[in-house]
Amino acid sequence: MTFGATPSPSPRPPRRSRARRFVPLGVAAWMVLEIWLLTVVAGATSGLTVFLLLVAGVLAGAFVIKRAGRRAWRNLTETLQAGGDPAAPGEAAAAGGGTTLPMLGGLLLMIPGLVSDVLGLLCLFPPTGKLILRRVERLLTRPASYAPGTLGDAFQQARMHQPDGKVVQGEVIRRDDPPAPRRQDPPLTG
């Protein structure tokens, strides 16, 4: 029985962004490639060689991250002692990327696998590191089309609406007195 009302169309599920659709597939393909390469190397040499490669990658990555962390800490303390703003980009960061690429390179070295090791070494090698920095900077500074409901839209709104220090009207209730003891009724007997 209808009363002349037209049925409302069923709401379409929101479109998934390309990144949300393809990043899991890319990660899965990367893991399959890493495992396949490790098995190829193990078949050509031995399992001990693969194990030693993985351990060497973890140790080299830990060393690089530790060294980059010390450099970042030293730069921060020097900036604070000189009375500079630690949030402002320093000369080291502007000249060679600071410690971001060495940290990323060390992290990639620590991830088990040969492809991640090669990518980590590319981050650590200065000419390729500068190329990577330029490419990332170009990607981050280009204007993006912000579709409603995406992560980019949230970042755009956060950038547009900066906190301005306004006071929000409200009421604060503070209890300085200790809470009253709980009332205990005598047990009912009956």
Side-chain angles (χ1 to χ4, degrees):
M1 195 160 127
T2 62
F3 295 102
T6 60
S8 63
S10 63
R12 278 182 52 197
R15 280 186 56 202
R16 293 180 71 177
S17 68
R18 285 185 182 169
R20 288 186 61 196
R21 190 177 317 146
F22 292 120
V23 166
L25 292 173
V27 170
W30 182 23
M31 290 184 343
V32 168
L33 178 66
E34 292 280 16
I35 292 170
W36 178 75
L37 281 174
L38 289 174
T39 57
V40 167
V41 170
T45 58
S46 68
L48 180 64
T49 304
V50 171
F51 178 74
L52 291 176
L53 280 173
L54 293 176
V55 169
V58 168
L59 292 176
F63 174 75
V64 168
I65 287 177
K66 184 176 180 181
R67 199 173 115 212
R70 282 184 180 164
R71 187 180 326 139
W73 183 256
R74 186 180 64 239
N75 291 344
L76 177 66
T77 55
E78 288 173 359
T79 303
L80 290 175
Q81 287 175 353
D85 183 16
E91 298 147 8
T99 58
T100 304
L101 274 180
M103 290 264 191
L104 178 64
L107 179 66
L108 285 170
L109 283 173
M110 290 182 75
I111 295 173
L114 300 176
V115 175
S116 61
D117 288 349
V118 169
L119 292 175
L121 291 173
L122 287 175
C123 287
L124 296 175
F125 189 57
T128 55
K130 288 180 183 178
L131 288 173
I132 292 170
L133 276 177
R134 274 191 254 140
R135 177 71 176 151
V136 168
E137 183 179 343
R138 193 176 316 135
L139 282 173
L140 292 178
T141 57
R142 74 173 184 189
S145 61
Y146 294 103
T150 63
L151 187 60
D153 186 38
F155 283 126
Q156 179 69 13
Q157 289 177 2
R159 243 188 343 183
M160 289 173 42
H161 304 289
Q162 296 291 329
D164 54 0
K166 290 184 180 177
V167 175
V168 177
Q169 296 296 324
E171 182 179 349
V172 176
I173 300 173
R174 185 189 321 172
R175 296 181 182 237
D176 291 342
D177 302 328
R182 294 183 70 183
R183 191 178 102 189
Q184 292 188 1
D185 294 328
L188 296 174
T189 58

PDB file of all heavy atoms in Angstrom, residues 153-178:
ATOM      1  N   ASP A 153      40.802  16.743   2.662  1.00  0.00           N
ATOM      2  CA  ASP A 153      39.824  17.733   3.074  1.00  0.00           C
ATOM      3  C   ASP A 153      40.011  18.089   4.547  1.00  0.00           C
ATOM      4  O   ASP A 153      39.930  19.248   4.937  1.00  0.00           O
ATOM      5  CB  ASP A 153      38.416  17.198   2.821  1.00  0.00           C
ATOM      6  CG  ASP A 153      37.338  18.226   3.091  1.00  0.00           C
ATOM      7  OD1 ASP A 153      37.573  19.410   2.760  1.00  0.00           O
ATOM      8  OD2 ASP A 153      36.286  17.854   3.631  1.00  0.00           O
ATOM      9  N   ALA A 154      40.283  17.092   5.363  1.00  0.00           N
ATOM     10  CA  ALA A 154      40.498  17.342   6.792  1.00  0.00           C
ATOM     11  C   ALA A 154      41.739  18.202   7.004  1.00  0.00           C
ATOM     12  O   ALA A 154      41.734  19.126   7.818  1.00  0.00           O
ATOM     13  CB  ALA A 154      40.633  16.028   7.549  1.00  0.00           C
ATOM     14  N   PHE A 155      42.825  17.920   6.255  1.00  0.00           N
ATOM     15  CA  PHE A 155      44.024  18.733   6.391  1.00  0.00           C
ATOM     16  C   PHE A 155      43.773  20.156   5.904  1.00  0.00           C
ATOM     17  O   PHE A 155      44.265  21.113   6.479  1.00  0.00           O
ATOM     18  CB  PHE A 155      45.197  18.125   5.623  1.00  0.00           C
ATOM     19  CG  PHE A 155      45.820  16.965   6.327  1.00  0.00           C
ATOM     20  CD1 PHE A 155      45.965  15.753   5.686  1.00  0.00           C
ATOM     21  CD2 PHE A 155      46.256  17.075   7.628  1.00  0.00           C
ATOM     22  CE1 PHE A 155      46.537  14.684   6.334  1.00  0.00           C
ATOM     23  CE2 PHE A 155      46.825  16.014   8.293  1.00  0.00           C
ATOM     24  CZ  PHE A 155      46.963  14.810   7.633  1.00  0.00           C
ATOM     25  N   GLN A 156      43.004  20.321   4.821  1.00  0.00           N
ATOM     26  CA  GLN A 156      42.698  21.640   4.302  1.00  0.00           C
ATOM     27  C   GLN A 156      41.911  22.435   5.334  1.00  0.00           C
ATOM     28  O   GLN A 156      42.184  23.610   5.567  1.00  0.00           O
ATOM     29  CB  GLN A 156      41.913  21.524   2.983  1.00  0.00           C
ATOM     30  CG  GLN A 156      41.518  22.838   2.378  1.00  0.00           C
ATOM     31  CD  GLN A 156      42.701  23.617   1.843  1.00  0.00           C
ATOM     32  OE1 GLN A 156      43.790  23.104   1.703  1.00  0.00           O
ATOM     33  NE2 GLN A 156      42.478  24.870   1.576  1.00  0.00           N
ATOM     34  N   GLN A 157      40.925  21.814   5.970  1.00  0.00           N
ATOM     35  CA  GLN A 157      40.143  22.505   6.986  1.00  0.00           C
ATOM     36  C   GLN A 157      40.995  22.860   8.191  1.00  0.00           C
ATOM     37  O   GLN A 157      40.860  23.934   8.758  1.00  0.00           O
ATOM     38  CB  GLN A 157      38.961  21.651   7.409  1.00  0.00           C
ATOM     39  CG  GLN A 157      37.889  21.544   6.358  1.00  0.00           C
ATOM     40  CD  GLN A 157      36.766  20.629   6.800  1.00  0.00           C
ATOM     41  OE1 GLN A 157      36.783  20.099   7.912  1.00  0.00           O
ATOM     42  NE2 GLN A 157      35.788  20.440   5.930  1.00  0.00           N
ATOM     43  N   ALA A 158      41.878  21.962   8.576  1.00  0.00           N
ATOM     44  CA  ALA A 158      42.742  22.245   9.724  1.00  0.00           C
ATOM     45  C   ALA A 158      43.690  23.392   9.415  1.00  0.00           C
ATOM     46  O   ALA A 158      44.005  24.201  10.288  1.00  0.00           O
ATOM     47  CB  ALA A 158      43.535  20.996  10.096  1.00  0.00           C
ATOM     48  N   ARG A 159      44.145  23.495   8.164  1.00  0.00           N
ATOM     49  CA  ARG A 159      45.025  24.591   7.792  1.00  0.00           C
ATOM     50  C   ARG A 159      44.269  25.905   7.733  1.00  0.00           C
ATOM     51  O   ARG A 159      44.804  26.945   8.054  1.00  0.00           O
ATOM     52  CB  ARG A 159      45.649  24.305   6.427  1.00  0.00           C
ATOM     53  CG  ARG A 159      47.109  24.161   6.483  1.00  0.00           C
ATOM     54  CD  ARG A 159      47.773  24.072   5.181  1.00  0.00           C
ATOM     55  NE  ARG A 159      46.908  23.753   4.060  1.00  0.00           N
ATOM     56  CZ  ARG A 159      47.327  23.583   2.838  1.00  0.00           C
ATOM     57  NH1 ARG A 159      48.593  23.700   2.585  1.00  0.00           N
ATOM     58  NH2 ARG A 159      46.513  23.292   1.858  1.00  0.00           N
ATOM     59  N   MET A 160      43.013  25.864   7.297  1.00  0.00           N
ATOM     60  CA  MET A 160      42.241  27.087   7.141  1.00  0.00           C
ATOM     61  C   MET A 160      41.775  27.641   8.486  1.00  0.00           C
ATOM     62  O   MET A 160      41.681  28.840   8.666  1.00  0.00           O
ATOM     63  CB  MET A 160      41.032  26.833   6.239  1.00  0.00           C
ATOM     64  CG  MET A 160      41.406  26.631   4.798  1.00  0.00           C
ATOM     65  SD  MET A 160      40.058  26.126   3.716  1.00  0.00           S
ATOM     66  CE  MET A 160      38.703  27.103   4.226  1.00  0.00           C
ATOM     67  N   HIS A 161      41.474  26.797   9.435  1.00  0.00           N
ATOM     68  CA  HIS A 161      40.919  27.226  10.716  1.00  0.00           C
ATOM     69  C   HIS A 161      41.976  27.089  11.801  1.00  0.00           C
ATOM     70  O   HIS A 161      42.017  26.109  12.523  1.00  0.00           O
ATOM     71  CB  HIS A 161      39.689  26.404  11.061  1.00  0.00           C
ATOM     72  CG  HIS A 161      38.638  26.452   9.986  1.00  0.00           C
ATOM     73  ND1 HIS A 161      37.907  27.571   9.729  1.00  0.00           N
ATOM     74  CD2 HIS A 161      38.226  25.519   9.093  1.00  0.00           C
ATOM     75  CE1 HIS A 161      37.070  27.334   8.727  1.00  0.00           C
ATOM     76  NE2 HIS A 161      37.256  26.088   8.322  1.00  0.00           N
ATOM     77  N   GLN A 162      42.823  28.073  11.887  1.00  0.00           N
ATOM     78  CA  GLN A 162      43.870  28.064  12.902  1.00  0.00           C
ATOM     79  C   GLN A 162      43.281  28.507  14.240  1.00  0.00           C
ATOM     80  O   GLN A 162      42.402  29.370  14.288  1.00  0.00           O
ATOM     81  CB  GLN A 162      45.012  29.009  12.509  1.00  0.00           C
ATOM     82  CG  GLN A 162      45.726  28.592  11.250  1.00  0.00           C
ATOM     83  CD  GLN A 162      46.527  27.330  11.464  1.00  0.00           C
ATOM     84  OE1 GLN A 162      47.020  27.078  12.542  1.00  0.00           O
ATOM     85  NE2 GLN A 162      46.642  26.529  10.411  1.00  0.00           N
ATOM     86  N   PRO A 163      43.755  27.954  15.334  1.00  0.00           N
ATOM     87  CA  PRO A 163      43.261  28.410  16.641  1.00  0.00           C
ATOM     88  C   PRO A 163      43.667  29.857  16.858  1.00  0.00           C
ATOM     89  O   PRO A 163      44.795  30.254  16.600  1.00  0.00           O
ATOM     90  CB  PRO A 163      43.947  27.474  17.645  1.00  0.00           C
ATOM     91  CG  PRO A 163      45.019  26.786  16.886  1.00  0.00           C
ATOM     92  CD  PRO A 163      44.717  26.891  15.434  1.00  0.00           C
ATOM     93  N   ASP A 164      42.706  30.672  17.297  1.00  0.00           N
ATOM     94  CA  ASP A 164      42.987  32.093  17.458  1.00  0.00           C
ATOM     95  C   ASP A 164      42.977  32.547  18.905  1.00  0.00           C
ATOM     96  O   ASP A 164      43.032  33.737  19.179  1.00  0.00           O
ATOM     97  CB  ASP A 164      41.998  32.919  16.634  1.00  0.00           C
ATOM     98  CG  ASP A 164      40.557  32.562  16.958  1.00  0.00           C
ATOM     99  OD1 ASP A 164      40.349  31.679  17.819  1.00  0.00           O
ATOM    100  OD2 ASP A 164      39.654  33.165  16.353  1.00  0.00           O
ATOM    101  N   GLY A 165      42.888  31.647  19.838  1.00  0.00           N
ATOM    102  CA  GLY A 165      42.999  32.008  21.242  1.00  0.00           C
ATOM    103  C   GLY A 165      41.709  32.548  21.839  1.00  0.00           C
ATOM    104  O   GLY A 165      41.741  33.175  22.895  1.00  0.00           O
ATOM    105  N   LYS A 166      40.578  32.374  21.202  1.00  0.00           N
ATOM    106  CA  LYS A 166      39.321  32.864  21.749  1.00  0.00           C
ATOM    107  C   LYS A 166      38.931  32.033  22.958  1.00  0.00           C
ATOM    108  O   LYS A 166      39.241  30.857  23.052  1.00  0.00           O
ATOM    109  CB  LYS A 166      38.211  32.800  20.710  1.00  0.00           C
ATOM    110  CG  LYS A 166      38.377  33.803  19.599  1.00  0.00           C
ATOM    111  CD  LYS A 166      37.197  33.747  18.661  1.00  0.00           C
ATOM    112  CE  LYS A 166      37.381  34.764  17.549  1.00  0.00           C
ATOM    113  NZ  LYS A 166      36.291  34.689  16.581  1.00  0.00           N
ATOM    114  N   VAL A 167      38.211  32.687  23.867  1.00  0.00           N
ATOM    115  CA  VAL A 167      37.756  32.017  25.072  1.00  0.00           C
ATOM    116  C   VAL A 167      36.406  31.379  24.786  1.00  0.00           C
ATOM    117  O   VAL A 167      35.510  32.010  24.238  1.00  0.00           O
ATOM    118  CB  VAL A 167      37.635  33.027  26.235  1.00  0.00           C
ATOM    119  CG1 VAL A 167      37.054  32.366  27.467  1.00  0.00           C
ATOM    120  CG2 VAL A 167      38.981  33.632  26.529  1.00  0.00           C
ATOM    121  N   VAL A 168      36.290  30.139  25.140  1.00  0.00           N
ATOM    122  CA  VAL A 168      35.030  29.431  24.961  1.00  0.00           C
ATOM    123  C   VAL A 168      34.211  29.618  26.222  1.00  0.00           C
ATOM    124  O   VAL A 168      34.687  29.378  27.332  1.00  0.00           O
ATOM    125  CB  VAL A 168      35.285  27.926  24.693  1.00  0.00           C
ATOM    126  CG1 VAL A 168      33.985  27.166  24.572  1.00  0.00           C
ATOM    127  CG2 VAL A 168      36.136  27.752  23.467  1.00  0.00           C
ATOM    128  N   GLN A 169      32.952  30.056  26.042  1.00  0.00           N
ATOM    129  CA  GLN A 169      32.081  30.269  27.181  1.00  0.00           C
ATOM    130  C   GLN A 169      31.712  28.921  27.794  1.00  0.00           C
ATOM    131  O   GLN A 169      31.430  27.964  27.083  1.00  0.00           O
ATOM    132  CB  GLN A 169      30.812  31.012  26.752  1.00  0.00           C
ATOM    133  CG  GLN A 169      31.078  32.414  26.241  1.00  0.00           C
ATOM    134  CD  GLN A 169      31.651  33.314  27.309  1.00  0.00           C
ATOM    135  OE1 GLN A 169      31.280  33.210  28.491  1.00  0.00           O
ATOM    136  NE2 GLN A 169      32.572  34.175  26.937  1.00  0.00           N
ATOM    137  N   GLY A 170      31.713  28.875  29.094  1.00  0.00           N
ATOM    138  CA  GLY A 170      31.372  27.639  29.777  1.00  0.00           C
ATOM    139  C   GLY A 170      31.381  27.848  31.269  1.00  0.00           C
ATOM    140  O   GLY A 170      31.576  28.953  31.769  1.00  0.00           O
ATOM    141  N   GLU A 171      31.170  26.821  31.986  1.00  0.00           N
ATOM    142  CA  GLU A 171      31.130  26.894  33.438  1.00  0.00           C
ATOM    143  C   GLU A 171      32.037  25.823  34.003  1.00  0.00           C
ATOM    144  O   GLU A 171      31.995  24.676  33.564  1.00  0.00           O
ATOM    145  CB  GLU A 171      29.695  26.663  33.917  1.00  0.00           C
ATOM    146  CG  GLU A 171      29.532  26.765  35.401  1.00  0.00           C
ATOM    147  CD  GLU A 171      28.082  26.549  35.827  1.00  0.00           C
ATOM    148  OE1 GLU A 171      27.195  26.534  34.962  1.00  0.00           O
ATOM    149  OE2 GLU A 171      27.859  26.398  37.024  1.00  0.00           O
ATOM    150  N   VAL A 172      32.867  26.220  34.963  1.00  0.00           N
ATOM    151  CA  VAL A 172      33.764  25.281  35.613  1.00  0.00           C
ATOM    152  C   VAL A 172      33.238  25.034  37.012  1.00  0.00           C
ATOM    153  O   VAL A 172      32.970  25.969  37.760  1.00  0.00           O
ATOM    154  CB  VAL A 172      35.210  25.835  35.686  1.00  0.00           C
ATOM    155  CG1 VAL A 172      36.109  24.886  36.448  1.00  0.00           C
ATOM    156  CG2 VAL A 172      35.730  26.096  34.304  1.00  0.00           C
ATOM    157  N   ILE A 173      33.054  23.801  37.340  1.00  0.00           N
ATOM    158  CA  ILE A 173      32.568  23.438  38.669  1.00  0.00           C
ATOM    159  C   ILE A 173      33.704  22.759  39.390  1.00  0.00           C
ATOM    160  O   ILE A 173      34.230  21.758  38.950  1.00  0.00           O
ATOM    161  CB  ILE A 173      31.353  22.494  38.575  1.00  0.00           C
ATOM    162  CG1 ILE A 173      30.230  23.181  37.814  1.00  0.00           C
ATOM    163  CG2 ILE A 173      30.914  22.065  39.959  1.00  0.00           C
ATOM    164  CD1 ILE A 173      29.061  22.288  37.523  1.00  0.00           C
ATOM    165  N   ARG A 174      34.096  23.367  40.487  1.00  0.00           N
ATOM    166  CA  ARG A 174      35.182  22.790  41.276  1.00  0.00           C
ATOM    167  C   ARG A 174      34.651  22.518  42.673  1.00  0.00           C
ATOM    168  O   ARG A 174      34.046  23.378  43.294  1.00  0.00           O
ATOM    169  CB  ARG A 174      36.354  23.758  41.362  1.00  0.00           C
ATOM    170  CG  ARG A 174      37.520  23.119  42.083  1.00  0.00           C
ATOM    171  CD  ARG A 174      38.654  24.029  42.419  1.00  0.00           C
ATOM    172  NE  ARG A 174      38.942  24.990  41.395  1.00  0.00           N
ATOM    173  CZ  ARG A 174      39.805  25.981  41.547  1.00  0.00           C
ATOM    174  NH1 ARG A 174      40.457  26.108  42.667  1.00  0.00           N
ATOM    175  NH2 ARG A 174      40.020  26.836  40.595  1.00  0.00           N
ATOM    176  N   ARG A 175      34.897  21.355  43.140  1.00  0.00           N
ATOM    177  CA  ARG A 175      34.472  20.999  44.487  1.00  0.00           C
ATOM    178  C   ARG A 175      35.682  21.034  45.403  1.00  0.00           C
ATOM    179  O   ARG A 175      36.541  20.184  45.323  1.00  0.00           O
ATOM    180  CB  ARG A 175      33.839  19.621  44.498  1.00  0.00           C
ATOM    181  CG  ARG A 175      32.578  19.559  43.689  1.00  0.00           C
ATOM    182  CD  ARG A 175      31.983  18.175  43.769  1.00  0.00           C
ATOM    183  NE  ARG A 175      30.814  18.138  42.959  1.00  0.00           N
ATOM    184  CZ  ARG A 175      29.619  17.814  43.417  1.00  0.00           C
ATOM    185  NH1 ARG A 175      29.480  17.472  44.679  1.00  0.00           N
ATOM    186  NH2 ARG A 175      28.585  17.799  42.627  1.00  0.00           N
ATOM    187  N   ASP A 176      35.711  22.060  46.254  1.00  0.00           N
ATOM    188  CA  ASP A 176      36.806  22.173  47.210  1.00  0.00           C
ATOM    189  C   ASP A 176      36.521  21.365  48.477  1.00  0.00           C
ATOM    190  O   ASP A 176      37.428  21.001  49.202  1.00  0.00           O
ATOM    191  CB  ASP A 176      37.060  23.631  47.578  1.00  0.00           C
ATOM    192  CG  ASP A 176      37.627  24.402  46.407  1.00  0.00           C
ATOM    193  OD1 ASP A 176      38.124  23.759  45.462  1.00  0.00           O
ATOM    194  OD2 ASP A 176      37.578  25.638  46.426  1.00  0.00           O
ATOM    195  N   ASP A 177      35.227  21.155  48.746  1.00  0.00           N
ATOM    196  CA  ASP A 177      34.868  20.406  49.936  1.00  0.00           C
ATOM    197  C   ASP A 177      35.048  18.918  49.657  1.00  0.00           C
ATOM    198  O   ASP A 177      34.846  18.455  48.546  1.00  0.00           O
ATOM    199  CB  ASP A 177      33.397  20.658  50.301  1.00  0.00           C
ATOM    200  CG  ASP A 177      33.131  22.144  50.535  1.00  0.00           C
ATOM    201  OD1 ASP A 177      34.049  22.831  51.006  1.00  0.00           O
ATOM    202  OD2 ASP A 177      32.008  22.597  50.228  1.00  0.00           O
ATOM    203  N   PRO A 178      35.435  18.170  50.700  1.00  0.00           N
ATOM    204  CA  PRO A 178      35.529  16.722  50.490  1.00  0.00           C
ATOM    205  C   PRO A 178      34.124  16.171  50.242  1.00  0.00           C
ATOM    206  O   PRO A 178      33.137  16.732  50.714  1.00  0.00           O
ATOM    207  CB  PRO A 178      36.130  16.193  51.793  1.00  0.00           C
ATOM    208  CG  PRO A 178      35.859  17.244  52.801  1.00  0.00           C
ATOM    209  CD  PRO A 178      35.799  18.549  52.062  1.00  0.00           C
TER     210      PRO A 178
END
